Amino acid sequence: MKQSVKNIKTPIPRIAAVHDLSGYGRASLTVAIPILSSMGMQVCPLPTAVLSSQTASIEDFSFFDLTAQMQEILENWENLDLFFDAVYSGFLGSPLQVDIVERLMDRLGKKEHIFLVDPVLGDDGKLYPTQTMELVQSMRRLVGKADIITPNFTEVCFLLDMPYEETITAKQAKEYLKALSHLGEKESKKKKSVLITSAPCEEENSLRVLAYDAENKRFWQTKSPKIPSAYPGTGDSFASVFLGALLQKDSLPMAMARAARFIYDVMLMTYGYGTPYIDGIMLEKALPGLSRKDIFLFEDF
């Protein structure tokens, strides 16, 4: 007898999380699942690859592509009549996986679902060692179908085919945000909202997150002091908190500021403990902070 969950109603938002599984380093699914679960979400992982570790500053790592398994999992989800309140894609290992994510979004997303794409491609002006320009081209197509995208500044430059710069003006930032919002607009018939993480800031000792609310045509930003260290998985953690906040009905700028504050707090705590940066952020100590109801600061720009 076929089992179906089509008509089962639940007060818990259900998210399809399409990310890799890195065994060491607190990145991808190992941060997305605990963050979203602690925010009251059901996370259904669709692993894109299994890695022995995150890849930042680690040269010797194993990589197992799960494209074939992704297709089988998706077929089984379709047989169950699963539907999702959000489809959330991160690290993808090949252009074929882009096709699988599109199929997931088209067939299993609820009518009012959120499709968030975190286009994991690179950092510090360079592609990650597992990524290719062919995947960059496919990612441009995928972000064109998203409701919201959360690239870091390096990924912005690859998506827009523009040179990487160390600093940008507020005028340039707005141009980048609008250009990203228009990617794929002709095909998808919709504009997307855009967040840029780790964006250059005119203030030397600060970092900022930028946002463009496509529906209301407003620009937002939130700033944080620079911490003299970088940790893998912070982009995955940011996007996960941001998505969880949206599903908790925070506004776009409030969700942006809430995620940015969480990342700053956990990075500062991790830096204070002096742990090796390849170990990632000390997420376990910070998860209780996601239940806070503080007012998080943001501003128009």
PDB file of all heavy atoms in Angstrom, residues 51-80:
ATOM      1  N   LEU A  51      31.698  15.038   2.048  1.00  0.00           N
ATOM      2  CA  LEU A  51      33.106  15.406   2.100  1.00  0.00           C
ATOM      3  C   LEU A  51      33.670  15.021   3.461  1.00  0.00           C
ATOM      4  O   LEU A  51      32.948  15.037   4.471  1.00  0.00           O
ATOM      5  CB  LEU A  51      33.306  16.905   1.882  1.00  0.00           C
ATOM      6  CG  LEU A  51      33.043  17.443   0.467  1.00  0.00           C
ATOM      7  CD1 LEU A  51      31.561  17.734   0.253  1.00  0.00           C
ATOM      8  CD2 LEU A  51      33.849  18.712   0.218  1.00  0.00           C
ATOM      9  N   SER A  52      34.938  14.704   3.489  1.00  0.00           N
ATOM     10  CA  SER A  52      35.565  14.384   4.767  1.00  0.00           C
ATOM     11  C   SER A  52      35.634  15.604   5.670  1.00  0.00           C
ATOM     12  O   SER A  52      35.619  15.489   6.895  1.00  0.00           O
ATOM     13  CB  SER A  52      36.966  13.819   4.545  1.00  0.00           C
ATOM     14  OG  SER A  52      37.752  14.729   3.789  1.00  0.00           O
ATOM     15  N   SER A  53      35.690  16.789   5.061  1.00  0.00           N
ATOM     16  CA  SER A  53      35.794  18.031   5.831  1.00  0.00           C
ATOM     17  C   SER A  53      35.359  19.191   4.953  1.00  0.00           C
ATOM     18  O   SER A  53      35.197  19.051   3.731  1.00  0.00           O
ATOM     19  CB  SER A  53      37.238  18.267   6.292  1.00  0.00           C
ATOM     20  OG  SER A  53      38.071  18.552   5.174  1.00  0.00           O
ATOM     21  N   GLN A  54      35.156  20.338   5.564  1.00  0.00           N
ATOM     22  CA  GLN A  54      35.053  21.558   4.773  1.00  0.00           C
ATOM     23  C   GLN A  54      36.407  21.773   4.081  1.00  0.00           C
ATOM     24  O   GLN A  54      37.415  21.179   4.472  1.00  0.00           O
ATOM     25  CB  GLN A  54      34.653  22.740   5.656  1.00  0.00           C
ATOM     26  CG  GLN A  54      35.575  23.062   6.806  1.00  0.00           C
ATOM     27  CD  GLN A  54      36.771  23.907   6.395  1.00  0.00           C
ATOM     28  OE1 GLN A  54      36.794  24.504   5.313  1.00  0.00           O
ATOM     29  NE2 GLN A  54      37.770  23.964   7.260  1.00  0.00           N
ATOM     30  N   THR A  55      36.443  22.607   3.059  1.00  0.00           N
ATOM     31  CA  THR A  55      37.626  22.651   2.194  1.00  0.00           C
ATOM     32  C   THR A  55      38.510  23.891   2.378  1.00  0.00           C
ATOM     33  O   THR A  55      39.562  23.977   1.747  1.00  0.00           O
ATOM     34  CB  THR A  55      37.202  22.575   0.717  1.00  0.00           C
ATOM     35  OG1 THR A  55      36.351  23.691   0.404  1.00  0.00           O
ATOM     36  CG2 THR A  55      36.447  21.283   0.456  1.00  0.00           C
ATOM     37  N   ALA A  56      38.096  24.848   3.220  1.00  0.00           N
ATOM     38  CA  ALA A  56      38.904  26.044   3.414  1.00  0.00           C
ATOM     39  C   ALA A  56      40.220  25.719   4.099  1.00  0.00           C
ATOM     40  O   ALA A  56      40.235  25.202   5.223  1.00  0.00           O
ATOM     41  CB  ALA A  56      38.127  27.078   4.225  1.00  0.00           C
ATOM     42  N   SER A  57      41.326  25.983   3.421  1.00  0.00           N
ATOM     43  CA  SER A  57      42.684  25.753   3.941  1.00  0.00           C
ATOM     44  C   SER A  57      42.955  24.288   4.264  1.00  0.00           C
ATOM     45  O   SER A  57      43.853  23.981   5.045  1.00  0.00           O
ATOM     46  CB  SER A  57      42.947  26.628   5.183  1.00  0.00           C
ATOM     47  OG  SER A  57      42.850  27.995   4.856  1.00  0.00           O
ATOM     48  N   ILE A  58      42.194  23.386   3.689  1.00  0.00           N
ATOM     49  CA  ILE A  58      42.436  21.946   3.847  1.00  0.00           C
ATOM     50  C   ILE A  58      42.613  21.362   2.452  1.00  0.00           C
ATOM     51  O   ILE A  58      41.675  21.350   1.645  1.00  0.00           O
ATOM     52  CB  ILE A  58      41.261  21.256   4.579  1.00  0.00           C
ATOM     53  CG1 ILE A  58      41.145  21.796   6.004  1.00  0.00           C
ATOM     54  CG2 ILE A  58      41.464  19.733   4.603  1.00  0.00           C
ATOM     55  CD1 ILE A  58      39.987  21.214   6.799  1.00  0.00           C
ATOM     56  N   GLU A  59      43.817  20.922   2.139  1.00  0.00           N
ATOM     57  CA  GLU A  59      44.103  20.457   0.785  1.00  0.00           C
ATOM     58  C   GLU A  59      43.754  18.987   0.575  1.00  0.00           C
ATOM     59  O   GLU A  59      43.352  18.578  -0.514  1.00  0.00           O
ATOM     60  CB  GLU A  59      45.589  20.676   0.471  1.00  0.00           C
ATOM     61  CG  GLU A  59      45.983  22.152   0.448  1.00  0.00           C
ATOM     62  CD  GLU A  59      47.452  22.343   0.111  1.00  0.00           C
ATOM     63  OE1 GLU A  59      48.141  21.322  -0.128  1.00  0.00           O
ATOM     64  OE2 GLU A  59      47.912  23.505   0.086  1.00  0.00           O
ATOM     65  N   ASP A  60      43.888  18.181   1.597  1.00  0.00           N
ATOM     66  CA  ASP A  60      43.676  16.738   1.465  1.00  0.00           C
ATOM     67  C   ASP A  60      42.296  16.382   2.021  1.00  0.00           C
ATOM     68  O   ASP A  60      42.122  16.197   3.216  1.00  0.00           O
ATOM     69  CB  ASP A  60      44.772  15.972   2.223  1.00  0.00           C
ATOM     70  CG  ASP A  60      44.671  14.461   1.999  1.00  0.00           C
ATOM     71  OD1 ASP A  60      43.954  14.055   1.059  1.00  0.00           O
ATOM     72  OD2 ASP A  60      45.293  13.708   2.762  1.00  0.00           O
ATOM     73  N   PHE A  61      41.299  16.337   1.138  1.00  0.00           N
ATOM     74  CA  PHE A  61      39.951  15.985   1.573  1.00  0.00           C
ATOM     75  C   PHE A  61      39.333  15.040   0.550  1.00  0.00           C
ATOM     76  O   PHE A  61      39.700  15.011  -0.625  1.00  0.00           O
ATOM     77  CB  PHE A  61      39.074  17.239   1.745  1.00  0.00           C
ATOM     78  CG  PHE A  61      38.906  18.061   0.483  1.00  0.00           C
ATOM     79  CD1 PHE A  61      37.892  17.770  -0.422  1.00  0.00           C
ATOM     80  CD2 PHE A  61      39.759  19.124   0.210  1.00  0.00           C
ATOM     81  CE1 PHE A  61      37.725  18.517  -1.575  1.00  0.00           C
ATOM     82  CE2 PHE A  61      39.611  19.873  -0.944  1.00  0.00           C
ATOM     83  CZ  PHE A  61      38.594  19.570  -1.833  1.00  0.00           C
ATOM     84  N   SER A  62      38.406  14.230   1.013  1.00  0.00           N
ATOM     85  CA  SER A  62      37.690  13.320   0.115  1.00  0.00           C
ATOM     86  C   SER A  62      36.364  13.945  -0.289  1.00  0.00           C
ATOM     87  O   SER A  62      35.754  14.710   0.468  1.00  0.00           O
ATOM     88  CB  SER A  62      37.458  11.975   0.796  1.00  0.00           C
ATOM     89  OG  SER A  62      36.719  12.145   1.991  1.00  0.00           O
ATOM     90  N   PHE A  63      35.916  13.621  -1.505  1.00  0.00           N
ATOM     91  CA  PHE A  63      34.698  14.193  -2.073  1.00  0.00           C
ATOM     92  C   PHE A  63      33.937  13.086  -2.786  1.00  0.00           C
ATOM     93  O   PHE A  63      34.457  12.467  -3.715  1.00  0.00           O
ATOM     94  CB  PHE A  63      35.055  15.318  -3.056  1.00  0.00           C
ATOM     95  CG  PHE A  63      33.865  15.939  -3.748  1.00  0.00           C
ATOM     96  CD1 PHE A  63      33.273  17.077  -3.236  1.00  0.00           C
ATOM     97  CD2 PHE A  63      33.361  15.398  -4.920  1.00  0.00           C
ATOM     98  CE1 PHE A  63      32.187  17.651  -3.873  1.00  0.00           C
ATOM     99  CE2 PHE A  63      32.273  15.964  -5.562  1.00  0.00           C
ATOM    100  CZ  PHE A  63      31.683  17.097  -5.038  1.00  0.00           C
ATOM    101  N   PHE A  64      32.720  12.812  -2.327  1.00  0.00           N
ATOM    102  CA  PHE A  64      31.897  11.773  -2.940  1.00  0.00           C
ATOM    103  C   PHE A  64      30.636  12.416  -3.513  1.00  0.00           C
ATOM    104  O   PHE A  64      29.792  12.916  -2.768  1.00  0.00           O
ATOM    105  CB  PHE A  64      31.524  10.703  -1.904  1.00  0.00           C
ATOM    106  CG  PHE A  64      32.716  10.050  -1.263  1.00  0.00           C
ATOM    107  CD1 PHE A  64      33.176  10.487  -0.034  1.00  0.00           C
ATOM    108  CD2 PHE A  64      33.392   9.008  -1.893  1.00  0.00           C
ATOM    109  CE1 PHE A  64      34.278   9.904   0.568  1.00  0.00           C
ATOM    110  CE2 PHE A  64      34.493   8.414  -1.298  1.00  0.00           C
ATOM    111  CZ  PHE A  64      34.943   8.861  -0.068  1.00  0.00           C
ATOM    112  N   ASP A  65      30.518  12.402  -4.819  1.00  0.00           N
ATOM    113  CA  ASP A  65      29.387  13.006  -5.513  1.00  0.00           C
ATOM    114  C   ASP A  65      28.132  12.144  -5.337  1.00  0.00           C
ATOM    115  O   ASP A  65      28.180  10.918  -5.505  1.00  0.00           O
ATOM    116  CB  ASP A  65      29.716  13.146  -6.999  1.00  0.00           C
ATOM    117  CG  ASP A  65      28.627  13.867  -7.760  1.00  0.00           C
ATOM    118  OD1 ASP A  65      27.602  13.235  -8.057  1.00  0.00           O
ATOM    119  OD2 ASP A  65      28.800  15.056  -8.061  1.00  0.00           O
ATOM    120  N   LEU A  66      27.005  12.779  -4.991  1.00  0.00           N
ATOM    121  CA  LEU A  66      25.767  12.049  -4.736  1.00  0.00           C
ATOM    122  C   LEU A  66      24.665  12.384  -5.749  1.00  0.00           C
ATOM    123  O   LEU A  66      23.480  12.240  -5.450  1.00  0.00           O
ATOM    124  CB  LEU A  66      25.264  12.350  -3.328  1.00  0.00           C
ATOM    125  CG  LEU A  66      26.158  11.930  -2.160  1.00  0.00           C
ATOM    126  CD1 LEU A  66      25.490  12.261  -0.829  1.00  0.00           C
ATOM    127  CD2 LEU A  66      26.484  10.442  -2.224  1.00  0.00           C
ATOM    128  N   THR A  67      25.051  12.784  -6.959  1.00  0.00           N
ATOM    129  CA  THR A  67      24.047  13.173  -7.944  1.00  0.00           C
ATOM    130  C   THR A  67      23.045  12.055  -8.208  1.00  0.00           C
ATOM    131  O   THR A  67      21.827  12.283  -8.224  1.00  0.00           O
ATOM    132  CB  THR A  67      24.726  13.587  -9.265  1.00  0.00           C
ATOM    133  OG1 THR A  67      25.630  14.664  -9.010  1.00  0.00           O
ATOM    134  CG2 THR A  67      23.686  14.035 -10.280  1.00  0.00           C
ATOM    135  N   ALA A  68      23.527  10.838  -8.419  1.00  0.00           N
ATOM    136  CA  ALA A  68      22.625   9.709  -8.693  1.00  0.00           C
ATOM    137  C   ALA A  68      21.686   9.459  -7.517  1.00  0.00           C
ATOM    138  O   ALA A  68      20.481   9.192  -7.702  1.00  0.00           O
ATOM    139  CB  ALA A  68      23.437   8.450  -9.003  1.00  0.00           C
ATOM    140  N   GLN A  69      22.217   9.548  -6.304  1.00  0.00           N
ATOM    141  CA  GLN A  69      21.399   9.320  -5.119  1.00  0.00           C
ATOM    142  C   GLN A  69      20.364  10.449  -4.937  1.00  0.00           C
ATOM    143  O   GLN A  69      19.241  10.199  -4.474  1.00  0.00           O
ATOM    144  CB  GLN A  69      22.283   9.217  -3.884  1.00  0.00           C
ATOM    145  CG  GLN A  69      23.113   7.951  -3.786  1.00  0.00           C
ATOM    146  CD  GLN A  69      24.289   7.925  -4.762  1.00  0.00           C
ATOM    147  OE1 GLN A  69      24.743   8.968  -5.232  1.00  0.00           O
ATOM    148  NE2 GLN A  69      24.792   6.726  -5.038  1.00  0.00           N
ATOM    149  N   MET A  70      20.735  11.669  -5.310  1.00  0.00           N
ATOM    150  CA  MET A  70      19.787  12.784  -5.225  1.00  0.00           C
ATOM    151  C   MET A  70      18.563  12.518  -6.094  1.00  0.00           C
ATOM    152  O   MET A  70      17.418  12.763  -5.681  1.00  0.00           O
ATOM    153  CB  MET A  70      20.457  14.090  -5.673  1.00  0.00           C
ATOM    154  CG  MET A  70      21.496  14.642  -4.724  1.00  0.00           C
ATOM    155  SD  MET A  70      22.284  16.130  -5.427  1.00  0.00           S
ATOM    156  CE  MET A  70      20.915  17.296  -5.397  1.00  0.00           C
ATOM    157  N   GLN A  71      18.781  12.008  -7.289  1.00  0.00           N
ATOM    158  CA  GLN A  71      17.668  11.727  -8.193  1.00  0.00           C
ATOM    159  C   GLN A  71      16.738  10.668  -7.608  1.00  0.00           C
ATOM    160  O   GLN A  71      15.508  10.790  -7.668  1.00  0.00           O
ATOM    161  CB  GLN A  71      18.215  11.274  -9.549  1.00  0.00           C
ATOM    162  CG  GLN A  71      18.940  12.384 -10.296  1.00  0.00           C
ATOM    163  CD  GLN A  71      19.611  11.890 -11.567  1.00  0.00           C
ATOM    164  OE1 GLN A  71      20.199  10.821 -11.607  1.00  0.00           O
ATOM    165  NE2 GLN A  71      19.530  12.698 -12.610  1.00  0.00           N
ATOM    166  N   GLU A  72      17.325   9.642  -6.994  1.00  0.00           N
ATOM    167  CA  GLU A  72      16.515   8.575  -6.402  1.00  0.00           C
ATOM    168  C   GLU A  72      15.730   9.087  -5.194  1.00  0.00           C
ATOM    169  O   GLU A  72      14.546   8.749  -5.010  1.00  0.00           O
ATOM    170  CB  GLU A  72      17.414   7.403  -6.004  1.00  0.00           C
ATOM    171  CG  GLU A  72      16.651   6.204  -5.460  1.00  0.00           C
ATOM    172  CD  GLU A  72      17.545   5.006  -5.204  1.00  0.00           C
ATOM    173  OE1 GLU A  72      18.688   4.984  -5.705  1.00  0.00           O
ATOM    174  OE2 GLU A  72      17.099   4.086  -4.485  1.00  0.00           O
ATOM    175  N   ILE A  73      16.387   9.890  -4.363  1.00  0.00           N
ATOM    176  CA  ILE A  73      15.704  10.459  -3.195  1.00  0.00           C
ATOM    177  C   ILE A  73      14.532  11.327  -3.632  1.00  0.00           C
ATOM    178  O   ILE A  73      13.427  11.247  -3.071  1.00  0.00           O
ATOM    179  CB  ILE A  73      16.693  11.270  -2.340  1.00  0.00           C
ATOM    180  CG1 ILE A  73      17.711  10.340  -1.669  1.00  0.00           C
ATOM    181  CG2 ILE A  73      15.951  12.100  -1.280  1.00  0.00           C
ATOM    182  CD1 ILE A  73      18.875  11.069  -1.035  1.00  0.00           C
ATOM    183  N   LEU A  74      14.748  12.157  -4.642  1.00  0.00           N
ATOM    184  CA  LEU A  74      13.686  13.034  -5.116  1.00  0.00           C
ATOM    185  C   LEU A  74      12.501  12.226  -5.655  1.00  0.00           C
ATOM    186  O   LEU A  74      11.335  12.564  -5.409  1.00  0.00           O
ATOM    187  CB  LEU A  74      14.226  13.972  -6.189  1.00  0.00           C
ATOM    188  CG  LEU A  74      13.268  15.045  -6.710  1.00  0.00           C
ATOM    189  CD1 LEU A  74      12.653  15.838  -5.572  1.00  0.00           C
ATOM    190  CD2 LEU A  74      13.982  15.971  -7.691  1.00  0.00           C
ATOM    191  N   GLU A  75      12.776  11.151  -6.360  1.00  0.00           N
ATOM    192  CA  GLU A  75      11.705  10.284  -6.854  1.00  0.00           C
ATOM    193  C   GLU A  75      10.896   9.698  -5.694  1.00  0.00           C
ATOM    194  O   GLU A  75       9.657   9.640  -5.739  1.00  0.00           O
ATOM    195  CB  GLU A  75      12.289   9.165  -7.707  1.00  0.00           C
ATOM    196  CG  GLU A  75      12.816   9.632  -9.054  1.00  0.00           C
ATOM    197  CD  GLU A  75      13.565   8.542  -9.797  1.00  0.00           C
ATOM    198  OE1 GLU A  75      13.616   7.400  -9.275  1.00  0.00           O
ATOM    199  OE2 GLU A  75      14.094   8.824 -10.888  1.00  0.00           O
ATOM    200  N   ASN A  76      11.588   9.298  -4.623  1.00  0.00           N
ATOM    201  CA  ASN A  76      10.891   8.753  -3.455  1.00  0.00           C
ATOM    202  C   ASN A  76      10.064   9.824  -2.751  1.00  0.00           C
ATOM    203  O   ASN A  76       8.966   9.546  -2.259  1.00  0.00           O
ATOM    204  CB  ASN A  76      11.896   8.119  -2.496  1.00  0.00           C
ATOM    205  CG  ASN A  76      12.466   6.816  -3.023  1.00  0.00           C
ATOM    206  OD1 ASN A  76      11.780   6.073  -3.707  1.00  0.00           O
ATOM    207  ND2 ASN A  76      13.721   6.542  -2.717  1.00  0.00           N
ATOM    208  N   TRP A  77      10.589  11.046  -2.681  1.00  0.00           N
ATOM    209  CA  TRP A  77       9.820  12.144  -2.103  1.00  0.00           C
ATOM    210  C   TRP A  77       8.557  12.409  -2.922  1.00  0.00           C
ATOM    211  O   TRP A  77       7.497  12.679  -2.362  1.00  0.00           O
ATOM    212  CB  TRP A  77      10.683  13.408  -2.029  1.00  0.00           C
ATOM    213  CG  TRP A  77      11.687  13.392  -0.912  1.00  0.00           C
ATOM    214  CD1 TRP A  77      11.899  12.394  -0.007  1.00  0.00           C
ATOM    215  CD2 TRP A  77      12.601  14.433  -0.584  1.00  0.00           C
ATOM    216  NE1 TRP A  77      12.899  12.757   0.867  1.00  0.00           N
ATOM    217  CE2 TRP A  77      13.351  13.999   0.539  1.00  0.00           C
ATOM    218  CE3 TRP A  77      12.882  15.683  -1.118  1.00  0.00           C
ATOM    219  CZ2 TRP A  77      14.339  14.780   1.129  1.00  0.00           C
ATOM    220  CZ3 TRP A  77      13.870  16.470  -0.541  1.00  0.00           C
ATOM    221  CH2 TRP A  77      14.592  16.023   0.570  1.00  0.00           C
ATOM    222  N   GLU A  78       8.692  12.347  -4.241  1.00  0.00           N
ATOM    223  CA  GLU A  78       7.529  12.552  -5.097  1.00  0.00           C
ATOM    224  C   GLU A  78       6.484  11.460  -4.862  1.00  0.00           C
ATOM    225  O   GLU A  78       5.273  11.738  -4.832  1.00  0.00           O
ATOM    226  CB  GLU A  78       7.956  12.577  -6.562  1.00  0.00           C
ATOM    227  CG  GLU A  78       8.753  13.829  -6.935  1.00  0.00           C
ATOM    228  CD  GLU A  78       9.301  13.766  -8.344  1.00  0.00           C
ATOM    229  OE1 GLU A  78       9.300  12.672  -8.948  1.00  0.00           O
ATOM    230  OE2 GLU A  78       9.728  14.818  -8.860  1.00  0.00           O
ATOM    231  N   ASN A  79       6.933  10.232  -4.664  1.00  0.00           N
ATOM    232  CA  ASN A  79       6.004   9.119  -4.393  1.00  0.00           C
ATOM    233  C   ASN A  79       5.273   9.298  -3.068  1.00  0.00           C
ATOM    234  O   ASN A  79       4.146   8.822  -2.893  1.00  0.00           O
ATOM    235  CB  ASN A  79       6.756   7.788  -4.397  1.00  0.00           C
ATOM    236  CG  ASN A  79       7.205   7.378  -5.786  1.00  0.00           C
ATOM    237  OD1 ASN A  79       6.626   7.793  -6.791  1.00  0.00           O
ATOM    238  ND2 ASN A  79       8.265   6.574  -5.855  1.00  0.00           N
ATOM    239  N   LEU A  80       5.924   9.986  -2.127  1.00  0.00           N
ATOM    240  CA  LEU A  80       5.301  10.265  -0.831  1.00  0.00           C
ATOM    241  C   LEU A  80       4.362  11.476  -0.877  1.00  0.00           C
ATOM    242  O   LEU A  80       3.705  11.782   0.119  1.00  0.00           O
ATOM    243  CB  LEU A  80       6.379  10.516   0.229  1.00  0.00           C
ATOM    244  CG  LEU A  80       7.136   9.308   0.762  1.00  0.00           C
ATOM    245  CD1 LEU A  80       8.326   9.763   1.609  1.00  0.00           C
ATOM    246  CD2 LEU A  80       6.216   8.418   1.590  1.00  0.00           C
TER     247      LEU A  80
END
